[in-house]
Structures are given as structure tokens and as C-alpha cells.
Short mmCIF file of all heavy atoms in Angstrom, two decimals:
data_model
loop_
_atom_site.label_atom_id
_atom_site.label_comp_id
_atom_site.label_asym_id
_atom_site.label_seq_id
_atom_site.Cartn_x
_atom_site.Cartn_y
_atom_site.Cartn_z
N PHE J 240 -34.49 32.46 -3.14
CA PHE J 240 -33.48 31.67 -2.47
C PHE J 240 -32.05 32.01 -2.64
O PHE J 240 -31.16 31.50 -1.94
CB PHE J 240 -33.68 30.17 -2.88
CG PHE J 240 -35.03 29.56 -2.56
CD1 PHE J 240 -35.93 29.33 -3.51
CD2 PHE J 240 -35.38 29.33 -1.32
CE1 PHE J 240 -37.18 28.91 -3.24
CE2 PHE J 240 -36.64 28.83 -0.94
CZ PHE J 240 -37.48 28.62 -1.93
N ASP J 241 -31.76 32.84 -3.61
CA ASP J 241 -30.40 33.17 -3.91
C ASP J 241 -29.71 33.96 -2.86
O ASP J 241 -30.16 35.02 -2.39
CB ASP J 241 -30.20 34.01 -5.28
CG ASP J 241 -28.76 34.23 -5.56
OD1 ASP J 241 -28.03 33.26 -5.83
OD2 ASP J 241 -28.31 35.43 -5.61
N GLN J 242 -28.63 33.46 -2.35
CA GLN J 242 -27.79 34.17 -1.32
C GLN J 242 -26.33 34.31 -1.81
O GLN J 242 -25.43 34.09 -1.03
CB GLN J 242 -27.85 33.33 0.08
CG GLN J 242 -29.16 33.22 0.68
CD GLN J 242 -29.61 34.48 1.30
OE1 GLN J 242 -28.81 35.35 1.55
NE2 GLN J 242 -30.89 34.66 1.40
N GLY J 243 -26.20 34.64 -3.06
CA GLY J 243 -24.85 34.81 -3.65
C GLY J 243 -24.49 33.63 -4.51
O GLY J 243 -23.32 33.66 -5.08
N HIS J 244 -25.32 32.69 -4.74
CA HIS J 244 -25.04 31.53 -5.45
C HIS J 244 -24.67 31.83 -6.95
O HIS J 244 -23.74 31.31 -7.54
CB HIS J 244 -26.08 30.44 -5.37
CG HIS J 244 -26.23 29.93 -4.04
ND1 HIS J 244 -27.24 30.57 -3.18
CD2 HIS J 244 -25.66 29.03 -3.25
CE1 HIS J 244 -27.22 29.89 -2.02
NE2 HIS J 244 -26.19 29.03 -1.99
N ILE J 245 -25.58 32.65 -7.55
CA ILE J 245 -25.38 32.92 -8.97
C ILE J 245 -24.09 33.76 -9.34
O ILE J 245 -23.30 33.32 -10.16
CB ILE J 245 -26.57 33.68 -9.55
CG1 ILE J 245 -27.85 32.75 -9.48
CG2 ILE J 245 -26.39 34.23 -10.93
CD1 ILE J 245 -29.11 33.49 -9.81
N PHE J 246 -23.88 34.75 -8.57
CA PHE J 246 -22.65 35.55 -8.78
C PHE J 246 -21.35 34.80 -8.24
O PHE J 246 -20.26 35.22 -8.61
CB PHE J 246 -22.71 36.93 -8.09
CG PHE J 246 -23.48 37.85 -8.99
CD1 PHE J 246 -24.16 38.96 -8.44
CD2 PHE J 246 -23.65 37.71 -10.39
CE1 PHE J 246 -24.79 39.89 -9.16
CE2 PHE J 246 -24.28 38.65 -11.13
CZ PHE J 246 -24.89 39.69 -10.56
N SER J 247 -21.59 33.79 -7.42
CA SER J 247 -20.32 33.03 -6.91
C SER J 247 -19.61 32.34 -8.18
O SER J 247 -18.46 32.07 -7.97
CB SER J 247 -20.66 32.12 -5.85
OG SER J 247 -21.46 31.00 -6.35
N LEU J 248 -20.33 32.15 -9.18
CA LEU J 248 -19.67 31.51 -10.36
C LEU J 248 -18.67 32.48 -11.03
O LEU J 248 -17.69 32.02 -11.58
CB LEU J 248 -20.81 31.14 -11.46
CG LEU J 248 -21.86 30.11 -10.93
CD1 LEU J 248 -22.93 30.07 -12.00
CD2 LEU J 248 -21.20 28.80 -10.63
N VAL J 249 -18.93 33.75 -10.78
CA VAL J 249 -17.98 34.78 -11.39
C VAL J 249 -17.07 35.34 -10.37
O VAL J 249 -15.92 35.45 -10.51
CB VAL J 249 -18.83 35.82 -12.02
CG1 VAL J 249 -17.97 36.99 -12.58
CG2 VAL J 249 -19.73 35.38 -13.07
N TYR J 250 -17.69 35.72 -9.17
CA TYR J 250 -16.83 36.41 -8.16
C TYR J 250 -16.30 35.59 -7.06
O TYR J 250 -15.50 36.00 -6.29
CB TYR J 250 -17.78 37.52 -7.49
CG TYR J 250 -18.13 38.68 -8.37
CD1 TYR J 250 -19.50 38.88 -8.68
CD2 TYR J 250 -17.23 39.42 -8.95
CE1 TYR J 250 -19.80 39.93 -9.53
CE2 TYR J 250 -17.54 40.43 -9.75
CZ TYR J 250 -18.83 40.74 -10.10
OH TYR J 250 -19.27 41.65 -10.96
N GLY J 251 -16.68 34.35 -6.99
CA GLY J 251 -16.14 33.43 -6.09
C GLY J 251 -16.77 33.62 -4.67
O GLY J 251 -17.96 34.09 -4.61
N GLU J 252 -15.98 33.40 -3.64
CA GLU J 252 -16.47 33.56 -2.28
C GLU J 252 -16.99 34.92 -1.89
O GLU J 252 -17.82 35.19 -1.03
CB GLU J 252 -15.48 33.08 -1.26
CG GLU J 252 -15.19 31.59 -1.37
CD GLU J 252 -16.33 30.73 -0.94
OE1 GLU J 252 -17.03 31.17 -0.01
OE2 GLU J 252 -16.60 29.69 -1.59
N GLU J 253 -16.44 35.90 -2.56
CA GLU J 253 -16.77 37.32 -2.30
C GLU J 253 -18.32 37.58 -2.51
O GLU J 253 -18.96 38.43 -1.90
CB GLU J 253 -16.01 38.33 -3.18
CG GLU J 253 -16.22 39.78 -2.93
CD GLU J 253 -15.40 40.63 -3.83
OE1 GLU J 253 -14.31 40.19 -4.28
OE2 GLU J 253 -15.88 41.64 -4.14
N ALA J 254 -18.86 36.85 -3.44
CA ALA J 254 -20.27 37.01 -3.81
C ALA J 254 -21.24 36.68 -2.56
O ALA J 254 -22.28 37.25 -2.41
CB ALA J 254 -20.65 36.25 -4.94
N PHE J 255 -20.73 35.71 -1.78
CA PHE J 255 -21.59 35.29 -0.54
C PHE J 255 -21.63 36.35 0.45
O PHE J 255 -22.45 36.44 1.31
CB PHE J 255 -21.12 33.97 -0.01
CG PHE J 255 -21.40 32.86 -0.93
CD1 PHE J 255 -20.29 32.25 -1.66
CD2 PHE J 255 -22.61 32.27 -1.19
CE1 PHE J 255 -20.47 31.18 -2.43
CE2 PHE J 255 -22.90 31.22 -2.03
CZ PHE J 255 -21.75 30.67 -2.60
N GLN J 256 -20.69 37.34 0.44
CA GLN J 256 -20.60 38.37 1.42
C GLN J 256 -21.36 39.65 0.93
O GLN J 256 -21.90 40.35 1.63
CB GLN J 256 -19.18 38.74 1.79
CG GLN J 256 -18.42 37.56 2.45
CD GLN J 256 -16.95 37.73 2.49
OE1 GLN J 256 -16.38 38.64 1.99
NE2 GLN J 256 -16.29 36.71 3.15
N ASP J 257 -21.18 39.91 -0.46
CA ASP J 257 -21.79 41.05 -0.98
C ASP J 257 -23.26 40.97 -1.25
O ASP J 257 -23.99 41.90 -1.07
CB ASP J 257 -21.07 41.42 -2.28
CG ASP J 257 -19.65 41.89 -2.08
OD1 ASP J 257 -19.34 42.26 -0.94
OD2 ASP J 257 -18.80 41.78 -2.97
N LEU J 258 -23.75 39.77 -1.62
CA LEU J 258 -25.17 39.58 -1.79
C LEU J 258 -25.90 40.53 -2.70
O LEU J 258 -26.87 41.20 -2.43
CB LEU J 258 -25.95 39.54 -0.51
CG LEU J 258 -25.55 38.42 0.51
CD1 LEU J 258 -26.20 38.64 1.82
CD2 LEU J 258 -25.79 37.09 -0.05
N TYR J 259 -25.35 40.67 -3.95
CA TYR J 259 -25.90 41.67 -4.93
C TYR J 259 -27.33 41.40 -5.29
O TYR J 259 -28.15 42.33 -5.18
CB TYR J 259 -24.98 41.64 -6.18
CG TYR J 259 -23.64 42.13 -5.99
CD1 TYR J 259 -22.55 41.25 -6.31
CD2 TYR J 259 -23.41 43.42 -5.59
CE1 TYR J 259 -21.26 41.73 -6.13
CE2 TYR J 259 -22.16 43.84 -5.43
CZ TYR J 259 -21.00 43.02 -5.68
OH TYR J 259 -19.76 43.39 -5.54
N ILE J 260 -27.70 40.14 -5.58
CA ILE J 260 -29.02 39.85 -6.04
C ILE J 260 -29.93 39.91 -4.86
O ILE J 260 -31.13 40.29 -4.93
CB ILE J 260 -29.03 38.54 -6.76
CG1 ILE J 260 -28.39 38.58 -8.15
CG2 ILE J 260 -30.54 38.09 -7.03
CD1 ILE J 260 -28.30 37.31 -8.90
N HIS J 261 -29.49 39.51 -3.68
CA HIS J 261 -30.34 39.52 -2.53
C HIS J 261 -30.71 40.99 -2.22
O HIS J 261 -31.81 41.26 -1.95
CB HIS J 261 -29.53 39.07 -1.25
CG HIS J 261 -30.23 39.23 0.03
ND1 HIS J 261 -31.21 38.28 0.47
CD2 HIS J 261 -30.27 40.20 0.95
CE1 HIS J 261 -31.73 38.71 1.61
NE2 HIS J 261 -31.16 39.87 1.92
N GLU J 262 -29.82 41.99 -2.30
CA GLU J 262 -30.15 43.35 -2.05
C GLU J 262 -31.02 43.88 -3.17
O GLU J 262 -31.89 44.73 -2.88
CB GLU J 262 -28.84 44.16 -1.90
CG GLU J 262 -27.97 43.78 -0.77
CD GLU J 262 -28.75 43.98 0.55
OE1 GLU J 262 -29.62 44.90 0.69
OE2 GLU J 262 -28.45 43.23 1.48
N LEU J 263 -30.79 43.46 -4.36
CA LEU J 263 -31.64 43.84 -5.48
C LEU J 263 -33.00 43.42 -5.39
O LEU J 263 -34.03 44.12 -5.69
CB LEU J 263 -31.06 43.38 -6.86
CG LEU J 263 -31.69 43.80 -8.10
CD1 LEU J 263 -31.54 45.33 -8.30
CD2 LEU J 263 -31.21 43.08 -9.31
N THR J 264 -33.33 42.15 -4.85
CA THR J 264 -34.63 41.66 -4.75
C THR J 264 -35.15 41.59 -3.37
O THR J 264 -36.12 40.96 -3.13
CB THR J 264 -34.59 40.13 -5.32
OG1 THR J 264 -33.76 39.32 -4.51
CG2 THR J 264 -34.25 40.18 -6.79
N HIS J 265 -34.59 42.42 -2.48
CA HIS J 265 -34.90 42.28 -1.06
C HIS J 265 -36.44 42.60 -0.78
O HIS J 265 -37.07 41.80 -0.09
CB HIS J 265 -34.01 43.30 -0.21
CG HIS J 265 -34.25 43.18 1.21
ND1 HIS J 265 -35.05 43.98 1.97
CD2 HIS J 265 -33.75 42.23 2.06
CE1 HIS J 265 -34.95 43.64 3.19
NE2 HIS J 265 -34.17 42.55 3.32
N ASP J 266 -36.93 43.67 -1.40
CA ASP J 266 -38.28 44.03 -1.09
C ASP J 266 -39.23 43.05 -1.79
O ASP J 266 -40.34 42.79 -1.23
CB ASP J 266 -38.61 45.41 -1.53
CG ASP J 266 -37.89 46.47 -0.70
OD1 ASP J 266 -37.50 46.16 0.51
OD2 ASP J 266 -37.56 47.58 -1.20
N MET J 267 -38.84 42.50 -2.88
CA MET J 267 -39.68 41.58 -3.55
C MET J 267 -39.74 40.23 -2.77
O MET J 267 -40.80 39.67 -2.71
CB MET J 267 -39.05 41.23 -4.98
CG MET J 267 -39.80 40.21 -5.70
SD MET J 267 -41.49 40.76 -6.27
CE MET J 267 -41.00 41.80 -7.58
N ARG J 268 -38.71 39.87 -2.13
CA ARG J 268 -38.69 38.75 -1.28
C ARG J 268 -39.80 38.82 -0.15
O ARG J 268 -40.57 37.89 0.11
CB ARG J 268 -37.35 38.49 -0.51
CG ARG J 268 -36.38 37.83 -1.44
CD ARG J 268 -35.11 37.62 -0.56
NE ARG J 268 -34.23 37.13 -1.55
CZ ARG J 268 -33.20 36.27 -1.24
NH1 ARG J 268 -33.10 35.94 -0.05
NH2 ARG J 268 -32.44 35.87 -2.13
N HIS J 269 -39.75 39.97 0.48
CA HIS J 269 -40.73 40.14 1.52
C HIS J 269 -42.17 40.24 1.09
O HIS J 269 -43.04 39.76 1.64
CB HIS J 269 -40.43 41.47 2.39
CG HIS J 269 -39.22 41.28 3.19
ND1 HIS J 269 -39.03 40.42 4.20
CD2 HIS J 269 -37.94 41.95 3.11
CE1 HIS J 269 -37.80 40.43 4.79
NE2 HIS J 269 -37.19 41.44 4.03
N ALA J 270 -42.35 40.87 -0.12
CA ALA J 270 -43.71 40.93 -0.66
C ALA J 270 -44.17 39.55 -1.07
O ALA J 270 -45.33 39.31 -1.06
CB ALA J 270 -43.64 41.83 -1.91
N ALA J 271 -43.30 38.70 -1.46
CA ALA J 271 -43.66 37.30 -1.89
C ALA J 271 -43.80 36.37 -0.67
O ALA J 271 -44.17 35.25 -0.90
CB ALA J 271 -42.70 36.77 -2.92
N GLY J 272 -43.42 36.80 0.47
CA GLY J 272 -43.54 36.01 1.68
C GLY J 272 -42.31 35.19 1.99
O GLY J 272 -42.37 34.28 2.79
N PHE J 273 -41.10 35.47 1.44
CA PHE J 273 -39.96 34.76 1.70
C PHE J 273 -39.21 35.43 2.86
O PHE J 273 -38.88 36.71 2.63
CB PHE J 273 -38.99 34.73 0.45
CG PHE J 273 -39.43 33.72 -0.57
CD1 PHE J 273 -40.07 34.31 -1.69
CD2 PHE J 273 -39.28 32.50 -0.43
CE1 PHE J 273 -40.50 33.50 -2.71
CE2 PHE J 273 -39.67 31.54 -1.49
CZ PHE J 273 -40.30 32.11 -2.63
N PRO J 274 -38.84 34.77 3.87
CA PRO J 274 -38.09 35.37 4.94
C PRO J 274 -36.60 35.43 4.52
O PRO J 274 -36.11 34.56 3.80
CB PRO J 274 -38.24 34.55 6.17
CG PRO J 274 -38.54 33.27 5.59
CD PRO J 274 -39.32 33.45 4.27
#
């Protein structure tokens, strides 16, 4: 479910645009069935 929420505590609004964790876990999301 993370769409920048965790890193927004540190990076602010920029984290919602960069999506570091989303990109890191992208393939795992699809393998687990999360769209």
C-alpha cells in the first residue's frame, strides 16, 4: 500500500512523486496480487 507515505516523513511532498519504496517493491506487488 505504500505510495510514498513512509518517506514523506523525511522528504515531505517530494516522496509522493519519487515513490522510492513503490519502485523497490514493484515486482513484489504484482507477484502478491496488489494492483
Side-chain angles (χ1 to χ4, degrees):
F240 301 106
D241 182 62
Q242 295 289 336
H244 298 95
I245 292 175
F246 279 157
S247 70
L248 300 172
V249 178
Y250 293 119
E252 292 295 320
E253 183 180 331
F255 292 108
Q256 296 166 358
D257 294 337
L258 298 175
Y259 294 119
I260 293 180
H261 174 87
E262 294 301 326
L263 182 68
T264 62
H265 188 261
D266 292 336
M267 179 68 75
R268 279 181 185 216
H269 290 296
F273 289 100

